[in-house]
Amino acid sequence: MGSLPFTVSDLQTSVSGVRSNPTLLCTPLMGTTVEQMLTEMRKAKEIGADIVEIRLDCLRNFSPAQDLQILIKQSPLPTLVTYRPIWEGGQYEGDENKRQDALRLAMELGASYIDVELEVAHEFNNSIYGKKPQNFKVIVSSHNFHNTPSTEAIGNLVARIQASGADIVKIATTALDITDVARVLQVTVHSQVPTIAIVMGERGLISRLLSPKFGGYLTYGALEAGAISAPGQPTAKDLLDLYNFRLVKPDTKVYGIIGKPVGHSKSPLLFNAAFKKVGLNAVYVHLLVDDVEKFFNTYSAPDFISGCSCTIPHKEVAIKCMDTIDPIARKIGAINNIVRKPDGKLTAFNTDYIGAIEAIEDGLRESNGSSPAVGSPLAGKLFVVLGAGGAGKSLAYGAKEKGARVVVANRTFERAKDLADKVGGQALTLAEIENFHPEEGMILANTTSVGMKPKINDTPIPKHALKHYSLVFDAIYTPKDTRLLREAKESGKIIVYGTEMLIRQGFEQYKNFTGLPAPEELFRELMSKHA
């Protein structure tokens, strides 16, 4: 079954929905000894978790009467006790009656919650009927490690869990595509009982990050990246510090970066810090997207997704999903910034070229000691672009727009010629660049990967050839100081780092998303600290 579009009306239910109290953050304890678990509990409290989940099936030698007493009574946080059997993805392989006895004992000793599997929930809930302490709650859970069923099947599953006597419903499915999350969120939003809805795997990450937006009862955050209790689980620290989990509310706007892969992107760090500092009710998340068209068709509500950055491999294919495209972005044939207007229409920009060109212009202006004069310092200059890929196109069109004369050099001459023809420029092969100097004071912009990690001793142009240029820009930012830029500096040339393009295109995206100028100092500070 296809995913239904995720609409505004789905969200409004969550705003007026059952739970008004904030979503809790639960940290699973995976220690193999009671001592380890006690240490983990203290850590969880320090990080800022609300609840700890005691995973009894992780303990090597478990003596229920003795260990539960210590773990529950000494926990600095409320406890959720889980004793997951192997048939539901856990580690316990022993006798079922003994397992349920341990859960009943946990209840008697003061656990706040226990998690019991749907398969045995009826019999378990009958066994504790009339014996439940006042604030004690039973979570009845169902885990699907294969896929995410249809909306109808999820709805039926939730009804079965409710009927088993659950105080809190928990469903965990597996995302094969990011659009699977919409079906689960749709059911959560309309649920009349407190619900924990998790979509496992990296493609399901937003089900965890955005659970406060959709009224989820709790979400799980690991103590450490290596100690996750389910696929795709973020750390508690990232939930709180990177994704501003405590600030996410039903009316929070969602932005993100779509790509494949996408987990390495530092954009959430920049944007979430900026949103927090300025007090904007917005969050920026990683979105691992396989099919762009399916993604935009499924998530079509204006506050979900309000806008996104777009990275490899979607910069070209996303164009066909847009309603309007900035004219230069259309010429470049690549977009990296998408904004959803209040009417739901998608508008796309290419901020890569703006970031790079502005950085180069500022470099020239500073060296001339001139104030930002009328017109661009690039006007009339010979602008040599190395590489004819996405970044090469951005710089070639950007330079032409500013009145420069463009030369494109590429490993294969055909690609260079194709781009040069489009910008009314000249084409060369990379091999010809060494002896190319029709005039002095040219501008050089490298967009090839020559000199990028790990091959940091490579350079696209020999040092002696740099004397004919006045400014050298390198789009590479790993490392920041490429061999090309080091040699240009030694030759007394103005240099512009790739990090400048990265950071300035971010300023531009922020402005497009929010209508406000970017907090430039903060962006720069974070980039130098983390990039």
Side-chain angles (χ1 to χ4, degrees):
M1 165 177 166
S3 291
L4 301 165
F6 201 58
T7 61
V8 185
S9 62
D10 289 318
L11 296 180
Q12 279 155 356
T13 318
S14 71
V15 181
S16 59
V18 190
R19 286 193 69 251
S20 54
N21 44 328
T23 301
L24 301 168
L25 174 55
C26 175
T27 294
L29 310 178
M30 313 283 287
T32 54
T33 66
V34 170
E35 286 64 43
Q36 276 179 356
M37 280 196 176
L38 291 171
T39 306
E40 289 174 346
M41 283 172 178
R42 291 190 282 273
K43 253 196 188 152
K45 185 174 166 72
E46 266 166 46
I47 289 172
D50 302 306
I51 306 176
V52 286
E53 180 184 31
I54 299 170
R55 283 291 298 259
L56 298 178
D57 51 308
C58 293
L59 290 170
R60 289 244 173 83
N61 304 306
F62 173 49
S63 346
Q66 189 188 329
D67 296 350
L68 281 170
Q69 180 80 23
I70 296 170
L71 288 166
I72 293 168
K73 300 287 187 220
Q74 293 189 24
S75 174
L77 291 169
T79 52
L80 153 55
V81 176
T82 302
Y83 202 177
R84 193 74 75 219
I86 205 138
W87 46 263
E88 188 84 11
Q91 298 180 37
Y92 179 75
E93 293 188 75
D95 176 72
E96 181 58 24
N97 292 326
K98 281 189 180 157
R99 187 178 79 88
Q100 292 191 30
D101 285 342
L103 291 172
R104 280 184 283 269
L105 181 58
M107 173 186 85
E108 287 156 23
L109 289 171
S112 301
Y113 308 87
I114 58 156
D115 175 326
V116 63
E117 302 72 26
L118 175 59
E119 202 157 313
V120 296
H122 258 292
E123 110 190 46
F124 182 84
N125 283 327
N126 287 341
S127 78
I128 60 168
Y129 185 74
K131 299 175 194 163
K132 282 162 72 170
Q134 200 181 354
N135 291 321
F136 167 81
K137 302 257 189 296
V138 177
I139 298 170
V140 175
S141 61
S142 163
H143 299 77
N144 177 334
F145 294 99
H146 307 292
N147 58 18
T148 297
S150 68
T151 310
E152 191 185 359
I154 298 166
N156 292 341
L157 176 63
V158 169
R160 274 178 57 211
I161 294 175
Q162 276 176 305
S164 74
D167 298 308
I168 298 166
V169 168
K170 177 185 172 189
I171 51 168
T173 67
T174 299
L176 303 180
D177 189 274
I178 193 168
T179 55
D180 293 345
V181 180
R183 299 199 292 283
V184 173
L185 292 179
Q186 225 150 7
V187 173
T188 322
V189 153
H190 294 297
S191 175
Q192 295 308 305
V193 224
T195 303
I196 301 164
I198 304 288
V199 188
M200 297 180 284
E202 197 189 341
R203 289 167 175 80
L205 179 64
I206 54 174
S207 69
R208 301 171 181 277
L209 306 184
L210 301 176
S211 55
K213 182 170 175 66
F214 299 101
Y217 187 83
L218 66 75
T219 198
Y220 299 86
L223 264 188
E224 273 131 27
I228 62 172
S229 64
Q233 194 177 84
T235 63
K237 197 175 175 345
D238 276 353
L239 275 169
L240 295 168
D241 300 344
L242 172 59
Y243 299 110
N244 297 338
F245 182 76
R246 299 285 188 216
L247 302 177
V248 178
K249 302 189 280 290
D251 58 348
T252 297
K253 285 186 167 184
V254 181
Y255 297 91
I257 176 160
I258 62 173
K260 185 186 176 180
V262 79
H264 63 282
S265 169
K266 296 274 188 266
S267 297
L269 183 88
L270 296 180
F271 284 99
N272 287 325
F275 292 158
K276 186 176 181 176
K277 187 170 186 180
V278 181
L280 276 180
N281 183 12
V283 63
Y284 187 104
V285 296
H286 289 98
L287 300 162
L288 177 59
V289 171
D290 297 278
D291 179 334
V292 187
E293 208 166 346
K294 191 173 173 187
F295 173 79
F296 283 116
N297 287 340
T298 303
Y299 298 109
S300 53
D303 75 336
F304 191 98
I305 302 286
S306 299
C308 48
S309 311
C310 185
T311 185
I312 294 162
H314 301 318
K315 288 186 175 192
E316 283 94 19
V317 286
I319 290 180
K320 66 175 190 291
C321 308
M322 299 300 118
D323 297 299
T324 50
I325 300 165
D326 172 74
I328 295 185
R330 188 184 286 284
K331 283 181 188 163
I332 294 169
I335 58 177
N336 71 327
N337 181 222
I338 298 164
V339 179
R340 196 186 286 281
K341 300 291 183 208
D343 63 0
K345 295 265 192 283
L346 295 169
T347 303
F349 304 91
N350 184 312
T351 69
D352 282 334
Y353 87 89
I354 300 174
I357 295 293
E358 277 185 1
I360 292 168
E361 286 180 325
D362 283 355
L364 289 170
R365 286 191 186 111
E366 276 164 35
S367 73
N368 301 340
S370 66
S371 57
V374 182
S376 169
L378 284 174
K381 286 264 196 297
L382 199 60
F383 192 101
V384 180
V385 181
L386 307 183
K393 279 185 192 167
S394 294
L395 277 138
Y397 278 105
K400 178 188 190 312
E401 192 70 13
K402 298 291 187 177
R405 295 167 292 137
V406 179
V407 175
V408 181
N410 194 55
R411 213 166 28 116
T412 55
F413 180 75
E414 289 69 34
R415 283 198 74 178
K417 182 153 174 30
D418 187 41
L419 178 55
D421 287 350
K422 285 178 180 153
V423 294
Q426 185 183 349
L428 301 169
T429 64
L430 280 178
E432 294 173 289
I433 276 297
E434 183 178 347
N435 302 311
F436 177 77
H437 46 89
E439 59 187 71
E440 301 302 313
M442 301 184 290
I443 310 289
L444 181 69
N446 175 45
T447 72
T448 72
S449 58
V450 179
M452 193 172 180
K453 264 185 189 166
K455 299 187 173 176
I456 56 170
N457 295 317
D458 293 357
T459 180
I461 181 172
K463 187 175 180 178
H464 71 84
L466 294 173
K467 62 175 179 282
H468 306 291
Y469 294 88
S470 60
L471 178 146
V472 177
F473 163 78
D474 197 338
I476 292 170
Y477 55 90
T478 52
K480 179 180 173 179
D481 248 320
T482 57
R483 178 177 167 189
L484 171 64
L485 291 179
R486 283 199 311 275
E487 294 182 343
K489 201 173 189 175
E490 287 159 12
S491 311
K493 306 303 168 188
I494 309 162
I495 62 166
V496 176
Y497 291 107
T499 46
E500 272 304 300
M501 167 170 165
L502 190 68
I503 209 156
R504 288 170 183 244
Q505 66 82 23
F507 295 164
E508 204 60 30
Q509 292 210 37
Y510 184 91
K511 195 173 82 189
N512 290 341
F513 286 153
T514 65
L516 302 167
E520 300 192 3
E521 295 279 301
L522 179 69
F523 269 36
R524 289 190 182 282
E525 191 186 310
L526 288 166
M527 280 293 284
S528 62
K529 203 157 98 188
H530 297 279

